[in-house]
């Protein structure tokens, strides 16, 4: 590095210093820590917005996976309740079967017990409107 004494034009006014400090002077010379430090990455507004967006998307993924687990548990519980009604429906079917046997030929006169061809099928769907369901 070159330095100059103010208001002097003679050749002795300029002095030079060594450009690289000795290994022993690294910790004692001023500014040595700045020369050995790595550059820090400074993000502009767009990079910060992208990083925040990535964080937001990852959080949304976590929330969605938790909601899927809750929905799966609810479906499992609903399936268990449907399976629990099976013995009731089987008992009801056997009661109606016994009733038809007792009636004999008179069962043909009852319109609810006549067998017909299925032309139309109606589905009744009941869903919730909260969360990701429905």
């Amino acid at each position: 590095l070159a330095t100059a004494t103010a208001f002097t034009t003679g050749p002795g006014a300029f002095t030079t210093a060594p450009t690289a400090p000795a290994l022993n002077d690294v910790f004692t010379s001023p500014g040595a820590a700045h020369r050995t430090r790595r550059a820090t990455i400074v993000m502009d507004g767009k990079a910060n917005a992208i990083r925040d967006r990535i964080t937001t998307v990852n959080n949304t993924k976590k929330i969605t996976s938790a909601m899927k687990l809750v929905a799966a548990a609810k479906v499992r519980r609903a399936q268990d309740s449907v399976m629990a009604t099976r013995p009731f429906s089987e008992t009801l079917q056997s009661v109606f079967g016994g009733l038809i046997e007792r009636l004999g030929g008179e069962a043909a006169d009852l319109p609810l017990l006549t067998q017909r061809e299925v032309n139309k099928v109606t589905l009744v769907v009941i869903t919730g409107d909260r969360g990701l369901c429905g």
Side-chain angles (χ1 to χ4, degrees):
L1 294 174
T3 58
T5 307
F7 304 112
T8 310
T9 58
F14 293 98
T15 58
T16 59
T19 57
L23 290 176
N24 294 337
D25 295 333
V26 170
F27 297 108
T28 58
S29 64
H34 294 290
R35 282 191 296 267
T36 59
R37 184 184 304 167
R38 288 185 176 178
T40 57
I41 298 173
V42 178
M43 293 191 197
D44 60 343
K46 287 184 181 180
N48 281 334
I50 291 171
R51 187 189 65 220
D52 291 344
R53 179 71 177 152
I54 290 170
T55 304
T56 303
V57 168
N58 287 334
N59 290 339
T60 304
K61 281 183 186 178
K62 291 177 187 176
I63 292 169
T64 305
S65 65
M67 291 177 80
K68 283 181 182 179
L69 291 174
V70 170
K74 287 182 178 180
V75 166
R76 198 174 310 115
R77 196 175 327 130
Q79 286 175 343
D80 291 341
S81 66
V82 167
M83 295 297 284
T85 62
R86 233 181 223 174
F88 173 74
S89 66
E90 289 173 356
T91 305
L92 191 62
Q93 194 172 17
S94 67
V95 167
F96 280 138
L99 184 63
I100 290 173
E101 285 179 12
R102 286 188 180 168
L103 291 175
E106 299 172 16
D109 296 339
L110 298 173
L112 291 177
L113 298 178
T114 58
Q115 292 184 354
R116 294 181 212 91
E117 182 181 335
V118 178
N119 294 327
K120 294 182 181 179
V121 176
T122 304
L123 297 177
V124 178
V125 180
I126 301 171
T127 65
D129 61 349
R130 294 183 349 182
L132 296 178
C133 301

